[in-house]
Amino acid sequence: MVKPNEHQIEDVKKLAKEIGVDDVRFKTAQIYDYENGNFLMPSIDKYSRYKKNAEGKYEIKNALDNQCWKLWHACVISWDGLVVPCCFDKDADYRLGDLKKDSFKEIWHSEAYKSFRKKLLSGRKNIDICANCSEGTKVWSDS
């Protein structure tokens, strides 16, 4: 849900009912550069992942622990064989391996992967893709 489409909420619910959908849920959107506000941030609070703090800046509403199950259970392999930690690394900035050069097992147990996992556990805010990640926080709003 983003501001440009929030006016369509009732239309979506109506269409879902017409075509026999059992349940409709809306997901809050991850927004880059949210600290000073962003034109994509919904005006309806329950559809926003962010809130304004006492300083007038925006922050994620829910607490983010320094953990992520994905780093021990999943990864993303790009079209060209690069292994990155997750889908939040949309530009493959955190290349943890290359399947054209090494096996998946070697990459998964590599020092690069171990170092990335350790960095996350020491502070999510230290990794830009993790600082604004939705893993471990509420992302679904009530419809």
Side-chain angles (χ1 to χ4, degrees), residues 6-120:
E6 68 184 354
H7 69 281
Q8 297 172 312
I9 294 169
E10 293 308 315
D11 293 338
V12 169
K13 290 179 185 179
K14 181 181 174 190
L15 175 62
K17 187 175 183 177
E18 288 173 6
I19 62 175
V21 172
D22 295 326
D23 190 25
V24 174
R25 298 179 70 202
F26 297 99
K27 186 177 181 189
T28 62
Q30 175 200 25
I31 298 173
Y32 296 119
D33 301 321
Y34 61 86
E35 293 88 358
N36 295 311
N38 187 299
F39 74 96
L40 292 172
M41 295 172 103
S43 60
I44 303 170
D45 185 63
K46 75 176 187 173
Y47 295 122
S48 181
R49 195 175 291 189
Y50 309 94
K51 66 178 178 181
K52 196 179 272 193
N53 64 24
E55 291 81 41
K57 299 281 187 181
Y58 286 87
E59 61 189 15
I60 296 175
K61 284 181 184 176
N62 302 305
L64 294 173
D65 296 330
N66 293 325
Q67 60 185 343
C68 179
W69 68 271
K70 289 183 178 186
L71 289 181
W72 285 266
H73 299 280
C75 69
V76 169
I77 299 171
S78 66
W79 65 271
D80 56 353
L82 298 176
V83 178
V84 297
C86 69
C87 62
F88 278 83
D89 190 1
K90 294 168 179 63
D91 298 318
D93 292 327
Y94 295 92
R95 298 172 184 174
L96 300 175
D98 186 338
L99 290 172
K100 295 182 297 298
K101 298 176 183 173
D102 298 303
S103 72
F104 182 78
K105 185 176 182 178
E106 290 171 316
I107 294 168
W108 189 253
H109 297 287
S110 69
E111 285 306 313
Y113 235 114
K114 289 176 187 176
S115 176
F116 191 88
R117 290 176 180 126
K118 187 175 181 178
K119 188 174 182 181
L120 173 100

